[in-house]
Amino acid sequence: MLTTANITDEIYYIGVNDRETRLFENLWPLDRGVSYNAYLIDDEKTAVFDTVKNTKTNVFIEKIDSILNDRPLDYLVINHMEPDHSGAIKALQDKYPDLKLVGNAKTFELLDDFYGPLKNYHTIKDGDQLSLGKHTLNFYLTPMVHWPETMMTYESTTGTLFSMDAFGGFGTLDGGIFDDEVNLEFYMDETRRYYSNIVGKYGAMVQKALKKLKDAHIAMNIIAPTHGPVWRSDPQCIIDHYDRWSRAETEEGVVIVYGSMYGNTQKMADVIARRLSENGIKNIRIYDASKTHVSYLISDLWRFKGVVLGSCAYNTGLFPTMETLVNKLENSQLKDRLLGIFGTASWSGGGVSNLNKFAEKIKWQQVGESVEARSSPKEKDFQQCIAIADEMAELLIKERS
Ligand code: FEO
């Protein structure tokens, strides 16, 4: 028996779980896997929405087969061409030779580059409709949420939005498929990690897409993304989160990330955190950049207003794992944070001086003076760390009102 689920009487979830792949895009850890969601509408005409990664083609096609029972598949709507969703397109058209591929002009440009040319292209434009019988599909082009061809499809009879990557996150669907069947705390964390690392750079385009959907006055009863849970009970919850993330709205809290070879820079991090706590800040996260993957750091940096970065010197530069984080931040669109800087130097400097250069580039509000200890922190260095914590806490608390 294959795992499918009814979203409505005629709309099916036909996604698959990937627990084998270690790194999404060969870059982002999949500690708890990922789902590639796809959907099927069984009407006078039949339609599938997106496919799956190529390694999952067989089980995906078996799922379609189990619902259609030898009836033809008429349409494949390609909301997003990235290979985690387009890996089974060719196999699907081999199985259903009359299958029409529905996408926009950019979709087919990319399709040809990746797999093609294929056949039976049905090119839609923004605002076009396609009737399946009782169900009507409405197409909204939403470029750069996450690739240039990305679009969303809204089924207006049931109020179902097939939203591709938008509103989706990491984590396999382990039995529970709908928002009311899972522990949302885990999925919200993994959705923010997906958003902040993969889509976050395109926050302005996400805002544009959200405005487009709002202006269309559509009732989004069900949000069906290509990763993570299907939102049928509280779709507004994920819309609100996406809205806040794409506006870079923050929560009160401080993320302290350090690179430390022998524990001296780490001591400064602990002193800053303790002082923040004494000042009434409750959300404090300390991370060793050598242990925690940068994707988790970025996810928390996206969430909280306060950022404190620390680095020892390493071969006259930043500690390598801190350099990775700083490069990623410079390439993100993360704005409007409070920034404190600390670290150590020994026979050379390079840690704090490079964090200071980062501060100049990123243009966040710097809190306190950067503090650099010689080899191991002394009392005067700790006092400077405390000054950073005091000023950070004061600024955060001021924003409460
Ligand atoms: Fe899930 Fe942009 O791919």
Side-chain angles (χ1 to χ4, degrees):
M1 186 176 168
L2 293 163
T3 312
T4 59
N6 275 90
I7 296 176
T8 68
D9 286 346
E10 289 151 327
I11 303 182
Y12 295 82
Y13 173 86
I14 54 166
V16 299
N17 286 309
D18 182 350
R19 300 188 179 88
E20 306 83 63
T21 302
R22 289 177 192 278
L23 297 172
F24 186 79
E25 295 181 341
N26 212 15
L27 203 54
W28 314 107
L30 291 174
D31 297 327
R32 294 272 304 267
V34 67
S35 66
Y36 309 120
N37 298 346
Y39 305 90
L40 186 152
I41 295 184
D42 188 2
D43 199 338
E44 286 166 33
K45 296 285 183 187
T46 55
V48 160
F49 299 82
D50 293 302
T51 74
V52 295
K53 193 175 167 183
N54 60 356
T55 53
K56 299 288 173 183
T57 297
N58 288 352
V59 67
F60 174 65
I61 290 181
E62 282 169 25
K63 286 187 180 200
I64 295 171
D65 238 356
S66 74
I67 296 167
L68 295 184
N69 289 318
D70 295 330
R71 285 158 53 225
L73 177 61
D74 297 300
Y75 297 107
L76 170 67
V77 177
I78 305 168
N79 284 320
H80 185 18
M81 257 302 300
E82 193 166 5
D84 53 329
H85 309 296
S86 62
I89 293 176
K90 200 165 182 315
L92 209 55
Q93 200 160 55
D94 287 344
K95 177 165 176 64
Y96 300 103
D98 295 329
L99 177 68
K100 292 185 186 62
L101 307 181
V102 181
N104 58 70
K106 196 74 190 172
T107 313
F108 294 125
E109 195 183 308
L110 288 167
L111 187 74
D112 284 351
D113 288 345
F114 271 91
Y115 308 104
L118 301 181
K119 59 181 183 176
N120 303 341
Y121 292 177
H122 179 96
T123 307
I124 57 88
K125 294 191 293 302
D126 192 37
D128 280 358
Q129 291 190 325
L130 177 65
S131 173
L132 302 178
K134 282 180 277 177
H135 297 82
T136 303
L137 308 181
N138 303 263
F139 302 103
Y140 294 98
L141 302 198
T142 53
M144 297 316 298
V145 182
H146 155 224
W147 275 20
E149 90 301 355
T150 47
M151 65 183 207
M152 299 189 198
T153 303
Y154 177 66
E155 197 293 297
S156 40
T157 313
T158 55
T160 304
L161 181 71
F162 299 98
S163 63
M164 49 95 206
D165 278 355
F167 311 119
F170 295 124
T172 48
L173 297 175
D174 297 340
I177 288 170
F178 299 99
D179 57 342
D180 50 274
E181 293 180 334
V182 299
N183 178 348
L184 277 181
E185 199 179 331
F186 164 72
Y187 286 103
M188 290 317 293
D189 278 349
E190 282 296 78
T191 301
R192 191 181 60 252
R193 189 164 71 93
Y194 189 93
Y195 176 82
S196 56
N197 286 280
I198 297 187
V199 185
K201 190 175 170 68
Y202 311 110
M205 301 311 283
V206 171
Q207 276 295 314
K208 209 169 164 183
L210 289 173
K211 184 172 182 316
K212 187 175 218 171
L213 295 173
K214 194 174 172 197
D215 290 351
H217 299 293
I218 57 178
M220 286 186 264
N221 299 329
I222 299 162
I223 292 183
T226 45
H227 302 287
V230 177
W231 295 81
R232 69 176 175 189
S233 291
D234 190 8
Q236 196 57 41
C237 168
I238 190 64
I239 295 170
D240 289 346
H241 274 84
Y242 241 71
D243 183 35
R244 286 202 290 274
W245 293 334
S246 54
R247 283 188 285 109
E249 194 179 294
T250 51
E251 294 174 40
E252 181 185 298
V254 181
V255 184
I256 303 170
V257 190
Y258 64 84
S260 180
M261 274 188 286
Y262 297 111
N264 291 308
T265 305
Q266 180 183 1
K267 282 183 196 163
M268 300 166 88
D270 283 324
V271 165
I272 293 168
R274 181 65 196 139
R275 186 66 167 197
L276 285 165
S277 175
E278 286 170 347
N279 278 311
I281 304 300
K282 291 197 170 159
N283 287 317
I284 304 165
R285 310 269 194 276
I286 305 183
Y287 292 108
D288 182 329
S290 297
K291 184 176 175 199
T292 305
H293 189 270
V294 68
S295 64
Y296 292 95
L297 308 178
I298 293 289
S299 181
D300 262 357
L301 289 164
W302 212 272
R303 181 173 180 184
F304 295 113
K305 176 84 178 184
V307 179
V308 185
L309 301 179
S311 179
C312 59
Y314 191 83
N315 285 342
T316 74
L318 268 173
F319 193 64
T321 50
M322 287 303 293
E323 192 168 20
T324 301
L325 173 63
V326 159
N327 287 342
K328 175 89 175 121
L329 286 171
E330 282 175 1
N331 273 316
S332 75
Q333 290 292 318
L334 197 59
K335 294 189 173 72
D336 193 26
R337 295 297 189 274
L338 302 172
L339 174 65
I341 290 173
F342 67 99
T344 54
S346 56
W347 51 265
S348 83
V352 170
S353 59
N354 279 299
L355 287 177
N356 286 337
K357 282 183 196 157
F358 163 74
E360 278 170 32
K361 276 193 215 160
I362 200 104
K363 296 189 169 51
W364 296 343
Q365 180 180 346
Q366 191 163 350
V367 173
E369 302 236 336
S370 300
V371 46
E372 183 173 54
R374 296 293 304 175
S375 296
S376 69
K378 318 293 184 303
E379 187 53 31
K380 68 173 176 32
D381 305 310
F382 287 132
Q383 287 308 319
Q384 276 186 272
C385 289
I386 283 172
I388 290 173
D390 285 347
E391 193 177 328
M392 178 74 79
E394 190 185 333
L395 289 168
L396 290 173
I397 288 165
K398 210 181 274 178
E399 288 194 5
R400 281 180 190 170
S401 47

